[in-house]
Amino acid sequence: MKNKPLAKPTVRPGKSKATTAAQTLRPKARVRTVDAEVKKVAKVARSAISENIHKTAMGLLAAGVIDKQTMRKFDETCIVELPVVSPDQVRRIREKWHVSQPVLAKQMGTSASTVKKWENGANPVKGPAAIVLRLIEKNGFESLSHMLA
């Protein structure tokens, strides 16, 4: 008994190269876009399970089973909240590593007055600055030098 091919090659109008039905249904450009989106969200996904669920949802979006609005709602549930750093934590992190406000500011790429305002509670520590402070807290300034090297 001979094995039959799963999909017969077809020629799309205007194309001279034969393609299978599966290739016609799933263009390569869209697959690359989905893979890029999965990698982007995987960096901030809460867990491996969440990452796998998100990858499945991206596949459903690519197949047209779910729409972009549904995917946006799903994305919102997968993203990890940024860490909150209190004024006391900023001071403790700085003192833990025995650096002054100007030195911490230089290492973080900000001004000494910004660090002073963080420690006084005048300005909240937001976004990337909060993440960098958490990295410094756990790994010291070496974690920054490895990223910038």
Side-chain angles (χ1 to χ4, degrees):
M1 185 175 187
K2 291 183 179 179
N3 291 336
K4 293 182 180 180
L6 296 176
K8 292 182 181 180
T10 59
V11 178
R12 290 188 275 168
K15 300 283 182 179
S16 60
K17 184 179 174 187
T19 59
T20 63
Q23 289 171 327
T24 305
L25 292 174
R26 196 170 170 193
K28 287 184 181 180
R30 182 66 182 148
V31 173
R32 285 188 198 126
T33 304
V34 170
D35 289 343
E37 285 294 317
V38 169
K39 287 177 185 175
K40 187 189 320 179
V41 173
K43 293 178 183 177
V44 292
R46 290 184 181 169
S47 67
I49 294 170
S50 181
E51 182 180 335
N52 287 332
I53 292 170
H54 191 269
K55 189 173 183 178
T56 302
M58 288 299 295
L60 292 172
L61 176 65
V65 176
I66 62 174
D67 61 358
K68 287 183 180 181
Q69 184 178 9
T70 304
M71 191 66 210
R72 272 188 235 114
K73 288 180 184 176
F74 182 79
D75 283 341
E76 290 172 5
T77 62
C78 288
I79 304 299
V80 176
E81 296 294 322
L82 292 176
V84 176
V85 181
S86 71
D88 289 335
Q89 288 172 316
V90 175
R91 184 185 44 76
R92 275 185 290 199
I93 292 167
R94 185 176 57 78
E95 289 174 352
K96 175 183 176 181
W97 295 103
H98 309 289
V99 294
S100 63
Q101 289 176 345
V103 170
L104 178 62
K106 185 164 180 72
Q107 289 291 323
M108 292 187 64
T110 189
S111 67
S113 65
T114 299
V115 174
K116 184 176 182 179
K117 289 175 185 176
W118 287 342
E119 289 186 9
N120 292 335
N123 287 355
V125 183
K126 298 187 230 176
I131 295 170
V132 170
L133 275 171
R134 290 292 185 184
L135 282 172
I136 293 170
E137 179 181 32
K138 290 181 182 179
N139 306 319
F141 291 98
E142 289 180 13
S143 58
L144 296 179
S145 62
H146 289 305
M147 288 189 307
L148 298 174

Short mmCIF file of all heavy atoms in Angstrom, two decimals, residues 5-28:
data_model
loop_
_atom_site.label_atom_id
_atom_site.label_comp_id
_atom_site.label_asym_id
_atom_site.label_seq_id
_atom_site.Cartn_x
_atom_site.Cartn_y
_atom_site.Cartn_z
N PRO A 5 0.29 11.55 -0.50
CA PRO A 5 0.70 12.85 0.08
C PRO A 5 -0.48 13.51 0.77
O PRO A 5 -1.63 13.36 0.35
CB PRO A 5 1.17 13.66 -1.13
CG PRO A 5 0.60 12.98 -2.32
CD PRO A 5 0.36 11.54 -1.94
N LEU A 6 -0.18 14.24 1.85
CA LEU A 6 -1.23 14.92 2.62
C LEU A 6 -1.86 16.07 1.85
O LEU A 6 -3.05 16.29 1.93
CB LEU A 6 -0.67 15.42 3.94
CG LEU A 6 -0.20 14.33 4.91
CD1 LEU A 6 0.43 14.98 6.13
CD2 LEU A 6 -1.35 13.44 5.31
N ALA A 7 -1.07 16.82 1.15
CA ALA A 7 -1.60 17.96 0.41
C ALA A 7 -0.95 18.00 -0.96
O ALA A 7 0.26 17.89 -1.09
CB ALA A 7 -1.32 19.26 1.16
N LYS A 8 -1.77 18.15 -1.97
CA LYS A 8 -1.25 18.23 -3.33
C LYS A 8 -0.73 19.63 -3.58
O LYS A 8 -1.33 20.61 -3.15
CB LYS A 8 -2.36 17.93 -4.34
CG LYS A 8 -2.82 16.49 -4.30
CD LYS A 8 -3.87 16.26 -5.35
CE LYS A 8 -4.36 14.83 -5.30
NZ LYS A 8 -5.37 14.57 -6.32
N PRO A 9 0.40 19.73 -4.28
CA PRO A 9 0.91 21.07 -4.61
C PRO A 9 -0.07 21.81 -5.52
O PRO A 9 -0.66 21.22 -6.41
CB PRO A 9 2.23 20.79 -5.33
CG PRO A 9 2.60 19.40 -4.95
CD PRO A 9 1.33 18.68 -4.67
N THR A 10 -0.26 23.07 -5.22
CA THR A 10 -1.12 23.90 -6.05
C THR A 10 -0.33 25.12 -6.49
O THR A 10 0.61 25.53 -5.82
CB THR A 10 -2.36 24.38 -5.26
OG1 THR A 10 -1.91 25.11 -4.13
CG2 THR A 10 -3.22 23.22 -4.83
N VAL A 11 -0.73 25.69 -7.59
CA VAL A 11 -0.07 26.89 -8.08
C VAL A 11 -1.03 28.05 -7.86
O VAL A 11 -2.15 28.03 -8.34
CB VAL A 11 0.32 26.76 -9.57
CG1 VAL A 11 0.96 28.04 -10.05
CG2 VAL A 11 1.24 25.57 -9.76
N ARG A 12 -0.56 29.04 -7.09
CA ARG A 12 -1.39 30.22 -6.86
C ARG A 12 -1.33 31.11 -8.09
O ARG A 12 -0.31 31.17 -8.78
CB ARG A 12 -0.89 31.00 -5.64
CG ARG A 12 -1.16 30.26 -4.35
CD ARG A 12 -0.83 31.12 -3.17
NE ARG A 12 0.61 30.98 -2.90
CZ ARG A 12 1.29 31.76 -2.09
NH1 ARG A 12 0.70 32.76 -1.50
NH2 ARG A 12 2.56 31.57 -1.89
N PRO A 13 -2.42 31.84 -8.38
CA PRO A 13 -2.42 32.74 -9.53
C PRO A 13 -1.29 33.75 -9.43
O PRO A 13 -1.07 34.35 -8.39
CB PRO A 13 -3.78 33.42 -9.47
CG PRO A 13 -4.62 32.55 -8.60
CD PRO A 13 -3.69 31.83 -7.68
N GLY A 14 -0.55 33.90 -10.51
CA GLY A 14 0.53 34.87 -10.55
C GLY A 14 1.83 34.36 -9.95
O GLY A 14 2.81 35.06 -9.89
N LYS A 15 1.84 33.15 -9.45
CA LYS A 15 3.03 32.56 -8.86
C LYS A 15 3.43 31.34 -9.68
O LYS A 15 2.60 30.52 -10.06
CB LYS A 15 2.78 32.10 -7.41
CG LYS A 15 2.35 33.21 -6.49
CD LYS A 15 3.54 34.05 -6.11
CE LYS A 15 3.10 35.13 -5.12
NZ LYS A 15 4.17 35.95 -4.70
N SER A 16 4.71 31.20 -9.95
CA SER A 16 5.18 30.07 -10.73
C SER A 16 5.59 28.91 -9.83
O SER A 16 5.64 27.78 -10.27
CB SER A 16 6.35 30.47 -11.62
OG SER A 16 7.40 30.94 -10.81
N LYS A 17 5.84 29.16 -8.56
CA LYS A 17 6.29 28.13 -7.63
C LYS A 17 5.09 27.38 -7.06
O LYS A 17 4.11 27.98 -6.64
CB LYS A 17 7.10 28.79 -6.51
CG LYS A 17 7.70 27.82 -5.54
CD LYS A 17 8.49 28.59 -4.49
CE LYS A 17 8.99 27.62 -3.43
NZ LYS A 17 9.60 28.35 -2.34
N ALA A 18 5.18 26.08 -7.02
CA ALA A 18 4.10 25.27 -6.45
C ALA A 18 4.18 25.35 -4.93
O ALA A 18 5.26 25.33 -4.34
CB ALA A 18 4.23 23.83 -6.90
N THR A 19 3.02 25.45 -4.26
CA THR A 19 2.96 25.49 -2.80
C THR A 19 1.92 24.51 -2.33
O THR A 19 1.00 24.14 -3.07
CB THR A 19 2.57 26.90 -2.30
OG1 THR A 19 1.30 27.24 -2.84
CG2 THR A 19 3.59 27.93 -2.69
N THR A 20 2.04 24.08 -1.08
CA THR A 20 1.04 23.19 -0.51
C THR A 20 -0.11 24.03 0.03
O THR A 20 0.01 25.24 0.23
CB THR A 20 1.63 22.35 0.63
OG1 THR A 20 2.02 23.23 1.67
CG2 THR A 20 2.80 21.51 0.16
N ALA A 21 -1.23 23.37 0.32
CA ALA A 21 -2.39 24.08 0.85
C ALA A 21 -2.07 24.70 2.20
O ALA A 21 -2.52 25.78 2.52
CB ALA A 21 -3.57 23.12 0.98
N ALA A 22 -1.26 24.01 3.02
CA ALA A 22 -0.89 24.54 4.34
C ALA A 22 -0.09 25.83 4.20
O ALA A 22 -0.28 26.78 4.97
CB ALA A 22 -0.08 23.51 5.12
N GLN A 23 0.78 25.91 3.21
CA GLN A 23 1.56 27.13 3.01
C GLN A 23 0.68 28.27 2.55
O GLN A 23 0.89 29.41 2.88
CB GLN A 23 2.67 26.89 2.00
CG GLN A 23 3.78 26.00 2.53
CD GLN A 23 4.75 25.61 1.44
OE1 GLN A 23 4.36 25.45 0.29
NE2 GLN A 23 6.01 25.44 1.82
N THR A 24 -0.35 27.95 1.76
CA THR A 24 -1.26 28.97 1.28
C THR A 24 -2.07 29.56 2.42
O THR A 24 -2.31 30.76 2.48
CB THR A 24 -2.21 28.37 0.22
OG1 THR A 24 -1.43 27.78 -0.80
CG2 THR A 24 -3.11 29.44 -0.38
N LEU A 25 -2.47 28.71 3.39
CA LEU A 25 -3.29 29.18 4.50
C LEU A 25 -2.49 29.97 5.53
O LEU A 25 -3.02 30.80 6.22
CB LEU A 25 -3.94 27.99 5.21
CG LEU A 25 -5.00 27.24 4.40
CD1 LEU A 25 -5.45 26.00 5.16
CD2 LEU A 25 -6.18 28.14 4.11
N ARG A 26 -1.19 29.71 5.64
CA ARG A 26 -0.39 30.32 6.69
C ARG A 26 0.84 31.00 6.10
O ARG A 26 1.91 30.42 6.01
CB ARG A 26 0.03 29.22 7.66
CG ARG A 26 0.53 29.73 8.97
CD ARG A 26 0.67 28.57 9.92
NE ARG A 26 1.37 29.03 11.10
CZ ARG A 26 1.86 28.24 12.01
NH1 ARG A 26 1.72 26.96 11.90
NH2 ARG A 26 2.49 28.72 13.03
N PRO A 27 0.71 32.25 5.69
CA PRO A 27 1.84 32.95 5.09
C PRO A 27 3.00 33.09 6.07
O PRO A 27 2.79 33.29 7.26
CB PRO A 27 1.28 34.32 4.72
CG PRO A 27 -0.17 34.25 4.92
CD PRO A 27 -0.48 33.06 5.75
N LYS A 28 4.21 33.02 5.56
CA LYS A 28 5.40 33.08 6.41
C LYS A 28 5.51 34.41 7.15
O LYS A 28 5.93 34.45 8.28
CB LYS A 28 6.64 32.84 5.57
CG LYS A 28 6.80 31.41 5.15
CD LYS A 28 8.09 31.22 4.41
CE LYS A 28 8.24 29.76 3.98
NZ LYS A 28 9.48 29.55 3.26
#
